Amino acid sequence: MTLRKYPGDLLLLGLFLLPVVVVAPALPWGSQGWLYSLAELAGVFALSAFLLAGMLSARIPGTDPWFGGLVRLWTIHRWLGFSAFMLVMAHVLLLALATLPMSLGTSVATLFPPLSHWEVWVGWAAFLTMLVFIAPTLGFFGTLHYQNWKRLHLLSAPALVLALVHTLMLSATAWVWWLLSALALAAIAWRKLLSPRLATKPYVVDGTDQLARDVVELRLRPKGKGIRWQAGQFVYLTPMDSSLVAGYREEHPYTIASGSGDDELKIGIKAVGDATRALLDIKPGAEVRIEGPYGTFFENAALAQKGTGLPGEPRKQLWLAGGIGITPFVAGARDRVGNTVAQGPDACLFYLANRPERAYYLDELVRIAEACDGFEVHTHYMNEHGVITRDYLAERCPDFAEREVYLCGPPGMINHLQTLLRHEGVPAHRIHTEAFDFL
């Protein structure tokens, strides 16, 4: 159960159900009022989900492992927002149906009363504001640009305020909404106003290593006390160099490529947009701000095994990487160099690339494999071998289906490998992925 693995889930569930527990007993559940009560309950669930989504925007470093990592929190946040939107529509529909037996005019007047009933029109304003910032993120208008998504998401704050005003004017149990709204607004204030100053640390670019035409590794050193991290975690990086052609003061998530004991913070970056392309030319001495670390990529195996209740040694691991998704595995490999105590279980890495020149870090990974027992590296080039197959994996790693599996790479690769692994009987709790797909 996730409540056993992630204690934060219990907190989320309690906060989500609190308004229902307070409001539901006071609703008219008699034979004449049950449909109206369902409408009110849908509205309660909608605002509860909306407020909880606001709370999850806080992104406080060090707390995300309570909830299974920041990527899992992104997923929960997105589903809460979508659920709130759908529940608002259910609220409106059920209100119309509850009053329809009286007359069509009564039903219409309930939803669209005179302007003097401004609290109802505030509710409509909240719904329309939600529609503006949620609909594009659901893909209704194609792929949304990252910065446009961030700007649209700012509308969540006024939508939340409008929804609260609507509810507070019509609710007899205002205290529960004041409590949850205080938590949600505090989270938004932390994220937008305080965290850029209090949750980030200044770093300086020591240098860059060109790994390919469109891929570099940044080497960063802290100005003062830096962060501590584990292999597989990631950070938000904000360039503070105003001479960059794009990305100045824009935060983006990047996986850490350095081992947990390294002095330098290393980040592999591939040019996939204007901001990342600009970072290819960042100059030594430039300042960046680092927030984090976040993520539980390699910790998920221990959590999964703990969740089964089965004792024993950690499973051997299968690492499957493609493109810039190699970076968490580079960190895991670098952790093994000169660290015989914390090398972890045996790991077999398959490096998937289109062609040899796109296999960044390969020479270093091979050297690490030669120097460390229990670590193997295999390459698979799409241009030579086509799509990776079950037989290709089994020939080089016969027990691959019995291992703990980690995937990181392009969505197409992830989908193909997940299908392959499930076909081979690998249960979902032994397949771990981490992708920054939060739009």
Side-chain angles (χ1 to χ4, degrees), residues 10-190:
L10 188 60
L11 175 62
L12 296 180
L13 183 61
L15 290 172
F16 179 70
L17 294 178
L18 177 61
V20 179
V21 172
V22 173
V23 174
L27 295 175
W29 290 102
S31 59
Q32 301 298 318
W34 68 271
L35 200 55
Y36 175 82
S37 296
L38 282 179
E40 291 298 292
L41 202 58
V44 169
F45 273 122
L47 184 55
S48 185
F50 198 6
L51 288 166
L52 201 56
M55 294 178 210
L56 293 185
S57 68
R59 204 176 79 199
I60 302 174
T63 62
D64 61 301
W66 304 346
F67 306 92
L70 190 58
V71 171
R72 185 169 179 268
L73 274 179
W74 281 335
T75 303
I76 296 172
H77 171 85
R78 181 163 52 183
W79 276 106
L80 283 169
F82 175 73
S83 299
F85 182 70
M86 298 303 293
L87 285 164
V88 168
M89 290 196 291
H91 172 65
V92 172
L93 178 61
L94 288 169
L95 277 177
L97 292 175
T99 53
L100 189 59
M102 301 176 192
S103 71
L104 179 59
T106 301
S107 183
V108 172
T110 300
L111 298 183
F112 306 102
L115 293 179
S116 58
H117 294 267
W118 60 271
E119 64 276 6
V120 176
W121 290 102
V122 167
W124 279 112
F127 173 71
L128 292 175
T129 308
M130 287 182 69
L131 182 63
V132 170
F133 79 84
I134 286 183
T137 67
L138 299 177
F140 292 170
F141 306 105
T143 303
L144 190 63
H145 187 272
Y146 177 76
Q147 289 305 319
N148 291 338
W149 168 79
K150 291 195 70 174
R151 294 187 191 99
L152 275 177
H153 234 60
L154 294 175
L155 291 174
S156 61
L160 184 57
V161 171
L162 290 168
L164 281 169
V165 171
H166 170 74
T167 302
L168 290 170
M169 292 299 100
L170 299 173
S171 176
T173 52
W175 70 266
V176 69
W177 299 119
W178 282 116
L179 172 63
L180 295 187
S181 63
L183 294 174
L185 294 174
I188 294 171
W190 164 261

